[in-house]
Amino acid sequence: MSVPSSAATAPVVVKIVISGGFGVGKTTFVSAISEIEPLLTEADMTEVSRGVDDVHAVAGKTTTTVALDFGRIHLDASLMLYLFGTPGQDRFSFLWDDLVDGALGAVVLVDTRRIEDSYPAVDYFEDLGLPFLLAVNPFDDAPRFAIPEVREALGVGPEVPIAECDARSRGAVKGTLVALMEQVLSRRLRAMAGHAGA
């Protein structure tokens, strides 16, 4: 029985999660790279969120993700990524398990003005055992730190890649996603080699 040529050339679809603290640039990241109109669940911030969502470092922020962001990008003809952005506020963290289900890896965006906001995402993916990459989003007014300083501040080992990624730049976002996929592949190959040697 022959396989139709369209099925033979269909790309592999991979689910990737974009995570991080409130206002770190997840929606911007997904919007910058998606080849389709992204699905964004942005809502205006209201008085109800005052005192609940810490906006001191993102004073100009007027909207927030209340469920998820979704986009899609072909990295090449053989690989298509579905991108799921998580909401950043603690009050929406109950959605994370469903959004992460079936994902092969994650990008955790970091804002050096509020590096402590990255701890919950780092802890979550470490506990889950899901490969992740840290992407420092260089906000214009944010202090700049060397990668080893960011690594030390977040308490992650050398196995976790860290890079700078301007979430507004399609090229930077694509480079970050390629780096994540390389990490995922490398980890899988090491696991396969370990099983073969057992």
Side-chain angles (χ1 to χ4, degrees), residues 12-17 80-82 84 96-106 124-125 128 130-131 181 184 188:
V12 173
V13 177
V14 173
K15 181 179 182 179
I16 297 297
V17 174
M80 180 166 57
L81 305 185
Y82 283 172
F84 288 80
W96 280 34
D97 288 343
D98 288 334
L99 291 175
V100 172
D101 186 37
L104 284 190
Y124 181 87
F125 293 116
L128 200 60
L130 191 71
M181 292 311 299
V184 169
R188 288 188 168 231

Side-chain angles (χ1 to χ4, degrees), residues 47-86:
E47 287 299 314
V48 175
S49 69
R50 189 176 301 280
V52 177
D53 298 326
D54 183 3
V55 297
H56 78 278
V58 287
K61 188 168 176 61
T62 60
T63 62
T64 185
T65 300
V66 294
L68 64 100
D69 298 319
F70 173 78
R72 184 189 76 194
I73 177 67
H74 283 83
L75 281 187
D76 58 33
S78 66
L79 183 63
M80 180 166 57
L81 305 185
Y82 283 172
L83 306 175
F84 288 80
T86 65

Side-chain angles (χ1 to χ4, degrees), residues 40-52:
L40 308 176
T41 58
E42 291 282 288
D44 290 334
M45 295 181 68
T46 65
E47 287 299 314
V48 175
S49 69
R50 189 176 301 280
V52 177

Side-chain angles (χ1 to χ4, degrees), residues 13-192:
V13 177
V14 173
K15 181 179 182 179
I16 297 297
V17 174
I18 314 303
S19 193
F22 173 63
V24 77
K26 299 177 295 294
T27 299
T28 302
F29 185 104
V30 172
S31 298
I33 195 69
S34 182
E35 62 195 12
I36 60 170
E37 185 69 28
L39 168 66
L40 308 176
T41 58
E42 291 282 288
D44 290 334
M45 295 181 68
T46 65
E47 287 299 314
V48 175
S49 69
R50 189 176 301 280
V52 177
D53 298 326
D54 183 3
V55 297
H56 78 278
V58 287
K61 188 168 176 61
T62 60
T63 62
T64 185
T65 300
V66 294
L68 64 100
D69 298 319
F70 173 78
R72 184 189 76 194
I73 177 67
H74 283 83
L75 281 187
D76 58 33
S78 66
L79 183 63
M80 180 166 57
L81 305 185
Y82 283 172
L83 306 175
F84 288 80
T86 65
Q89 304 95 312
D90 289 342
R91 59 196 168 107
F92 296 126
S93 62
F94 66 92
L95 296 169
W96 280 34
D97 288 343
D98 288 334
L99 291 175
V100 172
D101 186 37
L104 284 190
V107 173
V108 176
L109 286 169
V110 177
D111 180 351
T112 57
R113 298 170 300 180
R114 302 170 292 133
I115 207 156
E116 67 280 358
D117 289 358
S118 302
Y119 295 156
V122 169
D123 290 344
Y124 181 87
F125 293 116
E126 283 183 337
D127 290 346
L128 200 60
L130 191 71
F132 68 97
L133 173 150
L134 295 171
V136 179
N137 192 6
F139 288 89
D140 294 337
D141 60 343
R144 299 293 196 263
F145 297 101
I147 294 300
E149 293 177 289
V150 175
R151 184 177 301 284
E152 182 178 356
L154 288 170
V156 294
E159 72 282 358
V160 178
I162 304 178
E164 188 170 284
C165 174
D166 186 334
R168 301 166 295 185
S169 166
R170 181 178 176 83
V173 169
K174 186 171 185 178
T176 297
L177 292 171
V178 168
L180 175 64
M181 292 311 299
E182 288 173 348
Q183 183 208 9
V184 169
L185 180 59
S186 174
R187 186 164 164 175
R188 288 188 168 231
L189 289 173
R190 286 196 306 271
M192 288 169 58

